[in-house]
Amino acid sequence: MFLLSRGTRSFQQLRKMSIKGALIDLSGTLHVEDEPTPNAVEALKRLRDSGVLVKFVTNTTKDSKATLHERLCRIGFQLDASEIYSSLSAAVSYVENERLNPYYILSEDARQDFPPEDTRRYKDSVVIGLAPKAFNYDQLNEAFNVLLENKNHKLIAVHQGKYYKRAEGLALGPGCFVKGLEFATGRTAKVIGKPNPYFFEGALDGRDPASCVMIGDDANDDIVGAMSMGMQGILVKTGKYLPDVKPSPPPTALLENFAEAVDWIIQKNQS
């Protein structure tokens, strides 16, 4: 759920706000690896003080929630682990609800968030996320064979992002490996993370989308996905932002960085 704001606004002031909740992307928006984006730490404090409820939403699948939380606190952000809603969180819920016993192509850290393997059962699905060290022939071939064993075995993509931002530049995301397994097996992946409604519904947790805004650096996964749910979308020019990518519909606002997005929200709520 959205946590109560740490701000000091009165109930009457909060009622008048047009934007009551913000979903905030992490990598590329709040930070790039171990560096906050410009003035992001102070801006997050200002957003909380303004009375806006926050939740951090991410397609990151390489790091567990505990690792994400530790990193964000270490580089200066103040947040609770319960405020992070990741595509891993949604995928864990999906695996548990469907009672699956998957073959995982995940980083060792991300694997910690999922249920332990049930060695008494056959593998009945494949879960794939961002796992650079696992994207090799042997492991992809194992996943391929799990899917071929039974036509009902599911291919679950934690997300299928094309690329992500690292300090040295853009890097391949898991999308091309998901598409490769789809092509080889004739299956269509169940995609869990942004931009899918399944993810945003979980992140909103019953809150009215019209009262919320998404802040992110990915034109499709963050902005188009959120706006299709009825939210406003602020696209920032940090992280993986590329000027030639024109989302449809266009973002509610195109701004330089997260700090400017916070200024925009506060000004809109004061108007």
Side-chain angles (χ1 to χ4, degrees):
M1 65 178 180
F2 282 92
L3 295 189
L4 291 177
S5 169
R6 297 171 186 171
T8 57
R9 289 200 164 198
S10 70
F11 179 71
Q12 288 296 335
Q13 288 173 311
L14 293 175
R15 284 189 63 187
K16 293 178 181 178
M17 290 164 46
S18 62
I19 298 175
K20 297 180 172 63
L23 301 184
I24 305 167
D25 178 51
L26 292 178
S27 179
T29 301
L30 269 193
H31 69 99
V32 174
E33 295 194 343
D34 288 335
E35 290 295 327
T37 55
N39 302 311
V41 172
E42 186 274 338
L44 178 59
K45 293 178 182 177
R46 287 192 294 110
L47 184 62
R48 289 190 189 277
D49 288 343
S50 76
V52 173
L53 309 180
V54 301
K55 183 176 285 186
F56 304 93
V57 295
T58 176
N59 266 353
T60 298
T61 59
K62 191 161 64 72
D63 298 327
S64 66
K65 181 183 286 190
T67 297
L68 281 174
H69 181 243
E70 187 278 329
R71 168 184 276 182
L72 291 165
C73 291
R74 173 164 42 84
I75 63 179
F77 293 103
Q78 296 180 4
L79 72 158
D80 296 312
S82 59
E83 293 178 289
I84 300 173
Y85 184 82
S86 71
S87 52
L88 281 179
S89 307
V92 169
S93 295
Y94 185 82
V95 167
E96 291 176 338
N97 292 339
E98 296 292 319
R99 300 178 182 274
L100 299 176
N101 188 43
Y103 177 77
Y104 292 99
I105 300 182
L106 294 173
S107 70
E108 291 182 8
D109 189 42
R111 178 66 181 85
Q112 296 177 33
D113 284 356
F114 287 83
E117 177 186 353
D118 186 346
T119 57
R120 298 166 298 177
R121 297 169 55 195
Y122 288 110
K123 300 285 194 303
D124 55 17
S125 51
V126 170
V127 172
I128 180 170
L130 180 60
K133 292 182 179 179
F135 291 148
N136 58 68
Y137 183 84
D138 288 342
Q139 289 186 252
L140 289 166
N141 194 52
E142 181 70 21
F144 168 71
N145 279 285
V146 167
L147 294 171
L148 285 189
E149 284 176 3
N150 189 305
K151 66 180 181 179
N152 293 319
H153 286 185
K154 297 181 178 182
L155 173 59
I156 301 149
V158 184
H159 73 89
Q160 55 179 358
K162 297 177 181 178
Y163 45 80
Y164 67 105
K165 179 71 171 178
R166 298 195 303 199
E168 64 269 27
L170 296 180
L172 275 176
C176 60
F177 302 98
V178 174
K179 293 301 182 185
L181 287 171
E182 285 184 328
F183 172 76
T185 63
R187 306 294 169 81
T188 300
K190 169 70 176 179
V191 183
I192 300 295
K194 297 178 289 185
N196 297 281
Y198 181 91
F199 178 88
F200 283 107
E201 287 168 1
L204 287 167
D205 195 28
R207 181 165 290 276
D208 180 9
S211 69
C212 297
V213 64
M214 174 75 213
I215 309 170
D217 66 322
D218 189 302
N220 182 65
D221 290 358
D222 293 329
I223 304 308
V224 174
M227 294 182 72
S228 69
M229 296 292 293
M231 301 170 62
Q232 296 183 74
I234 301 177
L235 180 61
V236 294
K237 296 181 181 179
T238 49
K240 67 171 71 170
Y241 168 77
L242 294 172
D244 293 338
V245 177
K246 307 294 185 184
S248 180
T252 310
L254 174 62
L255 301 170
E256 290 297 321
N257 51 45
F258 173 73
E260 285 198 8
V262 170
D263 290 339
W264 185 92
I265 292 169
I266 292 173
Q267 290 171 10
K268 188 172 180 65
N269 277 341
Q270 291 174 345
S271 61

